[in-house]
C-alpha cells in the first residue's frame, strides 16, 4: 500500500496540473500588450473626411457626383455646444478650388448638442470642372457661431455606391 505522503503528493500534482496548464496556455497564446495597436487608433470607416477642431464637427464630408462637373455636398455637422444652437451659413470652394459654385439648399439649423445631416436635410449642389469622381475638392463650411472649417473632400461616384440615393443637381 502506498504511503500517505506519496498519495498526498500525487493528489497535489493532480490539482495543480490544470492551473499550470492554464498559465502556460496564457503565456504561449501570443497575447501582446501593445498600446499602439491599430485597434487602439481612431478609425474612420467612411469614405469622407472628418474635421473635429471646432465647436462644430464636420464628419464624413464628401461630394457625391453623378456626372463630372457637378455633385452634392454631403456631411454630418455636429454641434458640440450643449447650450447654444448654431447654423450652417454656407459652403464654398476654397484655396485652389475657390471657383467652385455651391448652391445652398435645405435646412441649416444645428440644434444645441445636435446634428444636421446634409445628405438627408437638403440639396447643397456644387458645380465646377474640379468635381471629378476620384479627386478631392477643398470646401469651407461656415457657421453662424462656430469657426469656419476647411476640408479636402473626396468626390465619389453614385454608380454602385452606397450614395446612390443622394439627390443630385439637375443636368445643366
Amino acid at each position: 500500500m502506498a504511503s500517505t505522503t506519496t498519495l498526498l503528493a500525487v493528489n497535489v500534482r493532480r490539482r495543480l496540473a490544470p492551473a499550470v496548464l492554464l498559465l502556460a496556455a496564457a503565456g504561449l497564446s501570443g497575447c501582446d500588450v501593445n498600446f499602439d495597436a491599430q485597434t487602439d487608433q481612431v478609425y474612420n470607416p467612411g469614405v469622407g473626411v472628418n474635421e473635429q477642431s471646432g465647436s462644430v464637427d464636420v464628419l464624413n464630408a464628401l461630394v457625391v457626383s453623378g456626372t463630372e462637373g457637378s455633385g452634392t455636398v454631403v456631411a454630418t455637422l455636429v454641434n458640440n455646444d450643449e447650450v447654444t444652437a448654431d447654423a450652417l451659413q454656407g459652403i464654398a470652394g476654397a484655396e485652389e478650388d475657390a471657383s467652385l459654385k455651391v448652391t445652398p439648399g435645405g435646412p441649416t439649423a444645428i440644434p444645441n448638442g445636435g446634428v444636421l445631416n446634409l445628405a438627408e436635410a437638403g440639396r447643397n449642389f456644387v458645380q465646377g470642372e474640379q468635381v471629378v469622381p476620384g479627386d478631392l475638392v477643398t470646401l469651407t463650411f461656415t457657421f453662424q457661431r462656430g469657426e469656419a472649417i476647411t476640408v479636402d473632400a473626396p468626390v465619389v461616384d453614385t454608380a454602385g455606391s452606397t450614395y446612390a440615393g443622394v439627390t443630385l443637381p439637375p443636368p445643366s
Side-chain angles (χ1 to χ4, degrees):
M1 180 132 198
S3 71
T4 307
T5 307
T6 306
L7 287 175
L8 183 60
V10 169
N11 203 11
V12 168
R13 278 189 234 146
R14 285 185 184 164
R15 290 186 182 167
L16 285 177
V20 169
L21 286 174
L22 182 62
L23 289 173
L28 297 173
S29 69
C31 294
D32 183 18
V33 179
N34 181 357
F35 295 106
D36 293 326
Q38 181 60 44
T39 55
D40 292 332
Q41 305 300 314
V42 175
Y43 172 64
N44 179 20
V47 175
V49 295
N50 295 334
E51 182 58 54
Q52 298 173 295
S53 62
S55 59
V56 176
D57 294 342
V58 177
L59 305 177
N60 200 29
L62 55 97
V63 174
V64 178
S65 177
T67 59
E68 288 188 12
S70 69
T72 301
V73 178
V74 172
T76 299
L77 307 177
V78 180
N79 184 357
N80 295 312
D81 190 330
E82 296 288 330
V83 177
T84 308
D86 207 332
L88 176 66
Q89 291 290 101
I91 305 168
E95 299 170 10
E96 67 274 358
D97 296 323
S99 64
L100 287 173
K101 179 184 175 195
V102 181
T103 306
T108 60
I110 312 169
N112 49 313
V115 301
L116 172 62
N117 185 335
L118 297 182
E120 297 172 357
R123 292 156 181 80
N124 293 285
F125 300 139
V126 61
Q127 293 179 318
E129 63 185 30
Q130 306 93 317
V131 181
V132 177
D135 285 352
L136 298 172
V137 293
T138 304
L139 299 172
T140 297
F141 294 79
T142 55
F143 304 98
Q144 181 179 17
R145 298 180 50 80
E147 52 280 352
I149 301 288
T150 300
V151 298
D152 290 325
V155 179
V156 298
D157 194 346
T158 58
S161 78
T162 58
Y163 300 101
V166 173
T167 302
L168 296 174
S172 53

